[in-house]
Amino acid sequence: MQFTRARDLLVAGVIGFALAFPLFRAAYQSLPSLPTLAGVTLLVLAVAELVLAFVVRTRIRSRAVVTGLGIARVVALAKASSLLGALMSGAWLGALGYLGPRAGRVVAASDDLPAAIVGVCCAAALVGAALWLEYCCRTPSDPDRDHDRPPTG
């Protein structure tokens, strides 16, 4: 299994930006105003994943009963969440890229700007929490099982 690569997250972010920015350019006039707390759902997911990360980390370090299937599910959740967070970061950055330059001239853009900022921050928090959760699923190195040492004898 490979850990999530920065390249994958960057591609997801670029895709999110490439979808959101043209959408805002083409249809912003017909969109309803953005709720300021629209991105907070991502923050709720991030907090839940942080809690799960500390639980998993504690159980692995204390050698409590942890099934391989359970860890595989947690890693899958972490990978999916980091990609979702990166995609939504790109989308919120696309909204921010459209709204930012217009905020001084257009009242609606000025009103929607805080929602885009909150969305970017919450999506970034989800990426961070998901990467931490994935990291916590690693087993600690065991000094008795050093595979790099040649056998003695």
Side-chain angles (χ1 to χ4, degrees), residues 23 63 102:
L23 177 68
R63 303 205 189 286
R102 290 159 182 79

Side-chain angles (χ1 to χ4, degrees), residues 2-44:
Q2 288 186 339
F3 294 102
T4 303
R5 297 180 294 219
R7 174 182 69 199
D8 298 337
L9 298 177
L10 184 63
V11 167
V14 168
I15 289 171
F17 185 88
L19 292 173
F21 188 78
L23 177 68
F24 270 83
R25 278 183 70 188
Y28 183 68
Q29 293 78 16
S30 62
L31 291 175
S33 64
L34 296 173
T36 304
L37 300 178
V40 172
T41 305
L42 300 173
L43 184 62
V44 171

